[in-house]
Amino acid sequence: MPVEVISAGIMTTIQDLGRPGFYHLGIPMGGAMDRFALRAANLLVGNDEGAAGLESAFLGPELEFTEDATVAVCGAELPPRIDGEQMPTWSALGVRKGQVLSFDFLRLGARAYIAVSGGIHTPPALGSRSTYPIGSLGGVDGRAVQPGDSLPLGRASGTARPGRSVPDALRRLPGSLAELRVLPGLYWHRITENAQQGFFDDTWMVANEADRMGYRFKGGRQLEFVPREQPYSAGSNPSNITDACYPYGSIQVPNGAEPIVLHRDAVSGGGYFMLGTVVSADMDLIGQLQPNTPTRFVKVEMDAALAARKDRSAMLDRIRETTA
Amino acid sequence: MSRFTFGGDEHIFVEVDEAMSLEAFFTSLSMTNAVRAAGIDGVMEICPANASFQIKFDPDRIHPRALMDRLRHLEEEAGKAEAKLDTRIIEVPVFYQDPWTHETLMRFRERHQDPDGTDLEFAARINGYETVEAFIEAHAGAPWFVSMVGFVSGLPFLYQMVGRSRQIQVPKYLRPRTDTPKQTVGYGGSFSCIYSVRGAGGYQMFGITPMTIYDPRQEVPYLKDFMVFFRPGDIVKWRPIGRAEYDRIIEDMQVGRFEPRMRDVVFSLDDFNADLDGTNAGLMEALYAG
C-alpha cells in the first residue's frame, strides 16, 4: 500500500517530531523544522500529531498513490494538484488509487508538510522516522526521498474527513519582514553594548546557507567583541570559546560577521560564542524563511518567551478542536 | 562558581570555567551525573561538554527559573562530593601516518598553515618535538579523557591526562576541509577527536583507527546495544599500529570478530592531582592486566 515517488523535488525528507534524548552523543533531535505545520497536516488526515510525513523544501515532489488515501499540505504555500487539478493547502484532500499528487511553484514560505492518512511507515531509528542524513538515521535507508522509492503507509484511523480545513487565522507563516524573538544569554557579554544594540537594530537577510542544520543571516554590521585574553584552549579568534554545547535555536556568530541560528539537525557543540537563542515559539517560523528574506531579531525577556509559547500552544489547541 | 545562563526558554547552559582543565571537565561531568540522579521532572536532555554543560527542559513542566534554582543547589551539593568516577578505559588502535589521511591532507594543502609539510610534521615542530616519532610517542603515551561526545554522530573529543606544560596544542586548519576520512584521529586546540563519519573538518589529521565507533545499522557486535561507542568520561589509550595490523583489524571488524580491549576502572581526581604519572600507570595496569 505504498506511495510511489515519481520525483522528489529539491530536498524532500521523511520527518516526524524527532528523536530527543541523544543530543549528548551528537545526534540531534531532528524532526519537522515547522512542527506546527506537520501537526496540523496530521490532524487534518486523522493521524497522530507525531506521525511521519514529508517535508519538502522549495519544490514539491510528485507522488502516485496505490490506494485511496487522505492527504493534507500545510506550512508553505505550495499549492497541491491531484491529477492536475489545483487543490487548497491546509485542507484534507481525498486521493484515489492511481491518482498523482503534484505541486505548483512555491508562493510563500519555504517548507511544505505533506501528511498522508496512516502516516509514512518506514522503519524508525532511535524511536523516530525523521531523516538525519549525516548519521544515516531514519528516512529511507538513512537518506532523503528519491525517485523510485516506495513509501509504506501505516493503517489509517478512518477519522479523516476530506473537505475539512484549518481556518486562515490559524495558519502561521512569517511576514514579508520576518521577526524572530530572541532571548539574549549564553555568551552575550562577549560583545560590546554597541554591538548588542546593533544586532537588534539591523535588518538581516537570510543567506543561501539555510538548511535543516542552521540558517545563516547576512547584511548586518560586524559585531565588536569585548577585548580579553583568550582562555586556555578557546582558540585565538575573539569569537571562539572552549568547545561547548549549542542549544537549538542558539545564535552563533563566527568571527563576529554572519549570525547562524542552529535548527533541528544542529551540530551539538563547537567552539563559537553564541549571543542568545531564538525562543521556542518562533523556531517553526525559521523553517519557512526563504533566502533573502529580510529579518529582524527582536529582544525579549523570559516571561515574554513563555507567553509566546503559551500563545502557540493555544493556537494548536484550536486546530485540534476544528479538526476533531 | 559556575556561570548559569538561559539558552532560550528550553535550555540552561552552565559554564564551569572559560578555560579547559581536567578540574573543569570533572566538575561538569559530576554535575550532569548529579542532575541525572536527581530525576527532575521536565528535564529532557543532559549534555556534558568540556568545561560546561547544557540541560534541555520542557518549560510546560518546570519553570525555567525554578530549574535554575534547582541546578544551583545541586552545584553546591556536587561541590561537597568526592570527585570519583566509575568509568572504563579503552585501548584504541591508531595507524599514524596512514595513506588515507595523507592523501586527504595533500588534497587540502592550500588550506594549511604549512603547505610544505604534513599535519604531523607541523604539529611536532610547533610543540617542540625533534621528530614525528617522538611526537607520536607523546600523543600515544599518556591516556585521554573523553571530555565531550558530539558535534555530529558520536564523535568523541578527548583531552590528555597530563599537566598543562605537557599538553599538545595545535591550531585547526586555516580553512576547514570539505572532506575527512571516516575514523580519522584528529587534533585541534588542545583536543584530539575521532571523526565518526566522513565529512567536513578543520582538525589536523594524525592517523586513522580501524575501530568502528558509530554504527547506525548496529551490525558490529560491540555496538549491538547502542550505535554510539563513546560516552563522556571514558578513558582512552591510543596504541600505535602499522599497516599489517590495521588490515588485520579491518578484516576482523568485517566478520564481527573484533572486540575492543577495555576494563572498568574507578578514577579519582584527587589521587590523579596528587600523582599524575602514578595514576596513569595504575590505569595502564588495569587495562593490560589479565
Side-chain angles (χ1 to χ4, degrees), chain B residues 200-242:
Chain B
Y203 276 32
Q204 307 279 338
M205 295 182 290
F206 289 175
I208 199 160
T209 175
M211 184 176 145
T212 302
I213 62 162
Y214 176 69
D215 178 22
R217 292 175 182 275
Q218 293 184 266
E219 285 159 356
V220 172
Y222 61 87
L223 297 174
K224 279 250 181 315
D225 288 342
F226 197 66
M227 60 184 68
V228 170
F229 182 74
F230 285 107
R231 302 191 285 252
D234 280 343
I235 297 171
V236 167
K237 168 74 172 69
W238 309 117
R239 183 168 65 85
I241 58 170

Side-chain angles (χ1 to χ4, degrees), chain B residues 160-216:
Chain B
Q160 198 165 24
M161 297 164 65
V162 294
R164 176 143 331 161
S165 62
R166 281 175 60 196
Q167 286 278 337
I168 296 165
Q169 290 231 68
V170 196
K172 298 170 195 172
Y173 269 49
L174 296 175
R175 282 185 300 132
R177 298 175 304 272
T178 53
D179 193 18
T180 311
K182 184 170 117 176
Q183 287 160 218
T184 289
V185 174
Y187 212 97
S190 47
F191 297 101
S192 236
C193 80
I194 306 173
Y195 285 89
S196 51
V197 293
R198 184 178 175 180
Y203 276 32
Q204 307 279 338
M205 295 182 290
F206 289 175
I208 199 160
T209 175
M211 184 176 145
T212 302
I213 62 162
Y214 176 69
D215 178 22

Side-chain angles (χ1 to χ4, degrees), chain B residues 81-103:
Chain B
E82 196 185 352
K84 262 198 174 156
L85 177 70
D86 288 312
T87 184
R88 51 185 192 166
I89 181 164
I90 304 133
E91 179 194 83
V92 176
V94 184
F95 182 10
Y96 290 92
Q97 310 190 75
D98 66 287
W100 304 283
T101 60
H102 186 79
E103 185 277 326

Side-chain angles (χ1 to χ4, degrees), chain A residues 19-29 125-126 132 134-137 141 183-190 213 228-229 231-234 240-249 266-271 274 276-281 302-303 305-306 309 313, chain B residues 3 5-11 13 15 17-20 36 44-54 56-60 63-65 148-155 157 159 164 167-169 172 189-191 197 203 214 216-217 226-228 230-232:
Chain A
R19 55 175 68 80
F22 306 98
Y23 204 40
H24 65 295
L25 300 173
I27 298 173
M29 148 175 97
L126 300 177
Y132 176 52
I134 292 175
S136 306
L137 292 177
D141 297 330
L183 186 75
L186 304 168
Y187 290 85
W188 176 239
H189 59 278
R190 285 292 301 120
M213 197 181 271
R228 70 166 176 182
E229 190 185 322
Y232 179 72
S233 88
N240 285 148
I241 56 168
T242 296
D243 286 39
C245 298
Y246 288 153
Y248 297 106
V267 292
S268 68
M274 303 154 275
T277 309
V278 173
V279 304
S280 62
M302 181 60 84
D303 290 340
L306 294 176
R309 187 180 170 91
S313 246
Chain B
R3 185 172 69 84
T5 175
F6 289 114
D9 50 334
E10 292 187 331
H11 306 85
F13 181 100
E15 184 186 58
D17 199 329
E18 285 190 325
M20 180 61 190
R36 195 172 302 108
M44 313 297 288
E45 301 204 276
I46 301 168
C47 304
N50 298 309
S52 57
F53 66 93
Q54 173 179 306
K56 182 166 191 283
F57 61 94
D58 178 354
D60 300 335
H63 193 284
R65 281 187 285 269
M148 180 167 170
V149 178
F151 183 58
V152 296
S153 319
L155 182 156
F157 291 89
Y159 189 75
R164 176 143 331 161
Q167 286 278 337
I168 296 165
Q169 290 231 68
K172 298 170 195 172
S190 47
F191 297 101
V197 293
Y203 276 32
Y214 176 69
R217 292 175 182 275
F226 197 66
M227 60 184 68
V228 170
F230 285 107
R231 302 191 285 252

Side-chain angles (χ1 to χ4, degrees), chain A residues 92-304:
Chain A
L93 311 170
V95 186
R96 285 190 314 279
K97 178 179 172 176
Q99 287 193 311
V100 171
L101 174 68
S102 62
F103 293 87
D104 277 355
F105 289 113
L106 182 68
R107 306 248 163 87
L108 268 179
R111 286 174 180 79
Y113 292 84
I114 307 161
V116 183
S117 48
I120 292 171
H121 232 65
T122 40
L126 300 177
S128 164
R129 299 185 164 89
S130 290
T131 315
Y132 176 52
I134 292 175
S136 306
L137 292 177
V140 180
D141 297 330
R143 58 161 171 81
V145 167
Q146 288 175 0
D149 284 344
S150 280
L151 309 177
L153 295 179
R155 182 191 291 266
S157 66
T159 60
R161 270 179 289 140
R164 267 189 319 200
S165 64
V166 171
D168 279 351
L170 300 179
R171 304 176 184 185
R172 191 168 182 245
L173 277 177
S176 51
L177 171 67
E179 290 196 344
L180 299 174
R181 285 167 285 193
V182 170
L183 186 75
L186 304 168
Y187 290 85
W188 176 239
H189 59 278
R190 285 292 301 120
I191 54 173
T192 62
E193 258 177 57
N194 228 3
Q196 292 177 342
Q197 184 74 36
F199 175 75
F200 286 116
D201 285 348
D202 287 347
T203 298
W204 299 83
M205 303 284 271
V206 177
N208 288 327
E209 299 89 348
D211 57 25
R212 294 188 43 81
M213 197 181 271
Y215 260 60
R216 186 186 280 262
F217 294 84
K218 57 185 183 184
R221 275 167 288 176
Q222 172 81 24
L223 302 181
E224 275 174 8
F225 290 89
V226 174
R228 70 166 176 182
E229 190 185 322
Q230 283 292 96
Y232 179 72
S233 88
S236 55
N237 189 285
S239 69
N240 285 148
I241 56 168
T242 296
D243 286 39
C245 298
Y246 288 153
Y248 297 106
S250 63
I251 306 170
Q252 55 180 270
V253 194
N255 210 20
E258 296 180 340
I260 298 168
V261 182
L262 291 182
H263 219 270
R264 312 280 185 218
D265 284 358
V267 292
S268 68
Y272 289 114
F273 98 107
M274 303 154 275
L275 56 75
T277 309
V278 173
V279 304
S280 62
D282 287 353
M283 285 294 281
D284 289 339
L285 287 180
I286 297 173
Q288 296 299 355
L289 297 177
Q290 293 180 7
N292 297 316
T293 306
T295 305
R296 291 286 294 275
F297 295 103
V298 179
K299 185 177 175 178
V300 295
E301 303 292 327
M302 181 60 84
D303 290 340

